[in-house]
Amino acid sequence: MDETTNEASRKGFSGWVRRQNAGLWFGMGFLAFSILFFKMSFDLPYQSKLGAGPGMYPRWLSGLSIVVALIYIWQSCSIQVFRVGDCFPGRQALLNVATIFFSCLAFLFLLNTVGFIIAGSVLMFITFVRNYRLVPALALSVGITLICYLIFKVCFSVPLP
Amino acid sequence: MESLMGLLSGFAVAMTWQNLLYCLIGVTVGQLVGVLPGIGPTTATALLIPLTYGMQPVSAIIMLAGIYYGGMYGGTITSVLINTPGEAASVITCLDGHEMAKQGRAGVALGVAALGSFVGGIASILGLVLIGPPLADFALRFGPTEMFSLMLFGLTMVVGLMGASIVRGLVAMFIGLSLSIIGMDPISGVLRYTFNQPFLINGLDLVTIAMGLFGLSEIFLGMENLAAVGKPEKLTSLLPNRDELKSTTGAVLRGTGLGFLIGLIPGTNSAIPALLSYSMEKKLSKTPGKFGKGAIEGVAGPETANNSYCGGAMIPLLTLGIPSSPTIAILLGAFIMHGLTPGPILFTQNPTFVWGVIASMFVGNAMLLIMNLPLAGLWAKIALVPAKLLYPIVLIISIIGAYTVSNDLWDVGVMLVFGVIGYIMKKIDIPMAPIVLTYVLGTMMEKALLQSVKMNNGSLVGLIESPISLTMIILAAVVLSGSVYAEIKHKKSAIAGEID
């Protein structure tokens, strides 16, 4: 039995998540997005003095979007079911992915306060520390950030803070 | 004759030392991203666009186009030497290329691939030289009505060809179209879906969306499995023997024609001609059993086809202003960013630019041939950079690239959001290329539609009154109903699914 099947059969919240239909949830998100756009299209005039107004195209587009979202949800529930546990990786791999995501968030929060070199080093360190020892990870993080800073700031005049 | 004169003047532009340098940078970066698994030409092109702000338009596009076709060459090396395709178009090369390498014939596989790529690349650019100007002349007859119908046809091709399911293709298409209406209305200037946020007034930036969907999502996927790749096979002779030369020549010629023709079709990508060429060579071969065990035609045909595709794919962009693949859509974004309007008027208004770019593609292909044959071993070593080191480096470069779009963290945030969306979409098998393509076409389509309605006094009847428009609408309906029929009957080609 592989890791994903093991995890899918797990009980509790984690097991519940892994048994969920990923296609259905994505479809629901897309449907909500389409309904929001459809509702907002009524705030825009459908016609104008020039003919078609700024609301005509968005109204038709979002209306058709709702139809497509409903078909997709139906298809996800009946024809091709993507269980979270089957299409997403196991805990360890997902942790690697989450590391990248949170390192980006850390960068976003830090950049304007501490500047590129520190924020970039933190970003790199978070991604390296799980795969390298502490000192090489730190050296790589600072080194690569400094090289990037020099290349982009000096060579390409990118106004990095 | 006019084309020849144009091409000669193009060489005068392409051969200046600055443009030669930018062409070299472009093809080298293209080769590099082709070699490195996980970073494709789409990401690399999007990444470098912000850095071209201060450059001359012709130099910028020469460099960015170099990344596009350079990527096709690079992917071959790692497919043959370490059985790891650098990009989608080279996946099929692994089958016979790596088998040849294991038999001690890596050099021959790479030599044939490089020569085939060069022939395919040059022949397709010649096709562009011959077909481009007359097609652009014809396209000058197109008004907003015809342009709308043409783009509608392009959209149906995108949805019909990409992905294994038409419903999922439609989901991607509507996401792209919906994103394209954020910002200022193209006719009246009314703000739509901006939620009173100033950074949404001009809509979302194509570069950040593409970097998130194609670049960051690929980093997420790559970080799931940080397995190391194997050591490269050794290189010996680069040329095939006399017996192999005949079958190789046939495969190269067929690959050239196939790749060029598929390049003309919107909604395709370079992996399609490569796969079709492989299938065709296997069917035509007297010894189909050799395929998968080191057949030289299995390397020559697909590698030629994917390079030939690149030249063909430039035709809809330069003559009609319609992108046929995600990388071409990014290039179209670069055109607009540099104040150029891709389409038929480009040949008349900016002939120096168009011919300069076309001529640079001849030069770039020659550079790639030189870079590929003697330096193949070196490129293969670059691919051995461990993923745990490579992906964080690509991540920080992507972040800087996104930040450069408007020197604001907003774009980094947008890229992050689209990275997560792209990662989820890859997991549930929704194609991403239609999002970028329809995002680019969406604004143009809406503008063309509104102009057409205005010209016809508020009526849509103009769409069926114009013969060109009517033909396009009928073709769109045929493609769409064909795709729906194929899906219902579960007969849709397995190729499309494999590609995405």
Side-chain angles (χ1 to χ4, degrees):
Chain A
M1 197 181 277
D2 63 10
E3 192 190 4
T4 50
T5 321
N6 261 329
E7 297 223 8
S9 59
R10 201 183 285 158
K11 288 181 181 173
F13 180 71
S14 159
W16 178 81
V17 169
R18 301 193 77 81
R19 281 192 301 276
Q20 291 305 300
N21 182 340
L24 171 67
W25 283 105
F26 184 85
M28 298 285 269
F30 178 49
L31 180 65
F33 170 80
S34 306
I35 291 172
L36 174 73
F37 267 48
F38 187 62
K39 188 183 170 294
M40 287 176 74
S41 73
F42 285 89
D43 299 337
L44 299 160
Y46 190 82
Q47 284 191 314
S48 70
K49 285 176 188 170
L50 300 168
M56 188 196 86
Y57 183 76
R59 199 172 303 174
W60 279 97
L61 187 68
S62 50
L64 287 169
S65 252
I66 292 172
V67 176
V68 170
L70 289 170
I71 297 172
Y72 176 72
I73 289 172
W74 168 77
Q75 198 189 49
S76 301
C77 295
S78 57
I79 296 174
Q80 191 160 27
V81 180
F82 288 99
R83 297 272 169 224
V84 172
D86 295 334
C87 55
F88 284 88
R91 185 169 294 191
Q92 190 59 39
L94 216 51
L95 207 61
N96 285 340
V97 177
T99 306
I100 291 283
F101 178 78
F102 287 110
S103 66
C104 291
L105 278 187
F107 179 86
L108 279 172
F109 284 113
L110 288 174
L111 185 71
N112 283 338
T113 352
V114 295
F116 177 78
I117 293 174
I118 295 177
S121 301
V122 171
L123 165 97
M124 299 298 277
F125 184 73
I126 297 171
T127 55
F128 281 139
V129 77
R130 284 169 51 80
N131 301 306
Y132 290 93
R133 286 183 188 167
L134 196 67
V135 177
L138 195 64
L140 275 172
S141 310
V142 177
I144 291 170
T145 310
L146 279 173
I147 291 170
C148 285
Y149 184 80
L150 288 173
I151 291 173
F152 286 93
K153 180 101 179 176
V154 178
C155 301
F156 294 109
S157 308
V158 175
L160 293 167
Chain B
M1 192 63 191
E2 201 181 317
S3 296
L4 189 67
M5 292 308 291
L7 187 62
L8 287 174
S9 68
F11 272 109
V13 176
M15 298 300 274
T16 60
W17 73 266
Q18 292 101 326
N19 288 336
L20 281 174
L21 179 67
Y22 285 124
C23 187
L24 182 65
I25 293 171
V27 295
T28 309
V29 173
Q31 173 95 358
L32 188 68
V33 296
V35 164
L36 295 171
I39 319 164
T42 311
T43 316
T45 312
L47 197 67
L48 288 192
I49 281 183
L51 302 179
T52 65
Y53 283 145
M55 288 163 64
Q56 290 290 320
V58 68
S59 307
I61 304 298
I62 282 174
M63 188 175 84
L64 296 172
I67 298 172
Y68 176 50
Y69 55 83
M72 300 299 145
Y73 279 79
T76 317
I77 296 173
T78 46
S79 293
V80 171
L81 295 182
I82 53 174
N83 202 23
T84 306
E87 38 84 42
S90 297
V91 172
I92 203 78
T93 310
C94 289
L95 297 180
D96 285 287
H98 190 62
E99 281 302 315
M100 285 179 73
K102 285 203 285 192
Q103 294 159 11
R105 304 179 65 233
V108 177
L110 287 175
V112 162
L115 288 170
S117 299
F118 180 72
V119 172
I122 295 292
S124 69
I125 305 164
L126 281 173
L128 169 62
V129 172
L130 294 173
I131 295 176
L135 190 61
D137 278 345
F138 177 70
L140 281 172
R141 297 180 206 168
F142 286 23
T145 310
E146 289 79 12
M147 281 311 287
F148 172 79
S149 306
L150 182 67
M151 285 186 268
L152 187 71
F153 171 61
L155 280 190
T156 53
M157 291 295 286
V158 168
V159 174
L161 288 175
M162 287 187 172
S165 147
I166 191 161
V167 177
R168 279 176 258 157
L170 283 169
V171 168
M173 183 186 101
F174 275 98
I175 292 174
L177 288 176
S178 301
L179 294 172
S180 76
I181 57 176
I182 296 173
M184 206 179 281
D185 169 52
I187 300 287
S188 64
V190 170
L191 295 180
R192 302 182 301 192
Y193 305 101
T194 57
F195 302 95
N196 296 323
Q197 300 300 318
F199 34 76
L200 282 174
I201 288 174
N202 291 321
L204 296 165
D205 195 275
L206 171 69
V207 173
T208 46
I209 293 177
M211 277 167 62
L213 288 177
F214 292 96
L216 197 55
S217 70
E218 201 57 49
I219 296 172
F220 287 145
L221 273 183
M223 286 301 286
E224 282 181 4
N225 182 15
L226 295 170
V229 286
K231 281 195 170 180
E233 304 286 342
K234 284 190 175 168
L235 288 173
T236 47
S237 163
L238 291 166
L239 293 172
N241 59 41
R242 192 173 290 181
D243 290 339
E244 289 170 331
L245 203 60
K246 195 179 166 192
S247 54
T248 305
T249 309
V252 166
L253 293 175
R254 285 187 290 272
T256 302
L258 187 71
F260 182 73
L261 288 176
I262 294 174
L264 298 173
I265 305 169
T268 54
N269 66 35
S270 53
I272 295 177
L275 285 165
L276 288 179
S277 167
Y278 188 84
S279 167
M280 185 166 75
E281 291 308 322
K282 194 174 176 180
K283 275 182 189 151
L284 291 174
S285 173
K286 286 174 188 163
T287 51
K290 272 172 63 186
F291 279 75
K293 293 171 188 162
I296 198 162
E297 304 96 310
V299 177
E303 281 303 321
T304 307
N306 68 33
N307 280 272
S308 178
Y309 169 89
C310 290
M314 293 295 278
I315 294 179
L317 174 74
L318 293 175
T319 59
L320 303 168
I322 291 183
S324 53
S325 73
T327 317
I328 293 284
I330 305 286
L331 269 179
L332 189 141
F335 274 58
I336 295 166
M337 204 190 76
H338 283 280
L340 299 159
T341 311
I345 54 167
L346 204 58
F347 273 91
T348 46
Q349 284 187 349
N350 298 84
T352 318
F353 166 83
V354 179
W355 289 112
V357 172
I358 293 172
S360 80
M361 290 170 74
F362 284 101
V363 180
N365 271 283
M367 284 177 178
L368 281 162
L369 184 68
I370 296 165
M371 279 162 67
N372 260 262
L373 290 177
L375 302 176
L378 180 76
W379 288 109
K381 280 183 186 155
I382 292 172
L384 297 178
V385 174
K388 60 184 180 181
L389 179 66
L390 174 69
Y391 285 118
I393 294 174
V394 178
L395 176 68
I396 197 162
I397 294 173
S398 303
I399 286 176
I400 298 172
Y403 181 83
T404 320
V405 170
S406 57
N407 299 326
D408 198 291
L409 280 174
W410 160 254
D411 289 299
V412 182
V414 172
M415 182 185 76
L416 187 58
V417 170
F418 278 98
V420 174
I421 293 172
Y423 176 69
I424 295 169
M425 287 174 66
K426 277 181 180 167
K427 292 291 177 186
I428 55 174
D429 211 13
I430 293 179
M432 283 182 299
I435 297 185
V436 174
L437 287 169
T438 54
Y439 181 77
V440 172
L441 287 178
T443 317
M444 295 194 284
M445 264 183 83
E446 184 184 5
K447 197 173 173 182
L449 176 68
L450 297 183
Q451 282 174 342
S452 168
V453 169
K454 190 184 160 195
M455 282 163 60
N456 291 290
N457 302 317
S459 165
L460 288 168
V461 77
L463 294 174
I464 49 169
E465 276 179 349
S466 152
I468 296 173
S469 169
L470 184 63
T471 311
M472 292 294 165
I473 288 173
I474 291 170
L475 283 174
V478 168
V479 170
L480 204 61
S481 41
S483 299
V484 172
Y485 177 79
E487 178 145 346
I488 291 168
K489 291 280 178 188
H490 299 287
K491 281 180 182 170
K492 190 157 187 183
S493 167
I495 291 170
E498 284 168 26
I499 288 155
D500 267 312

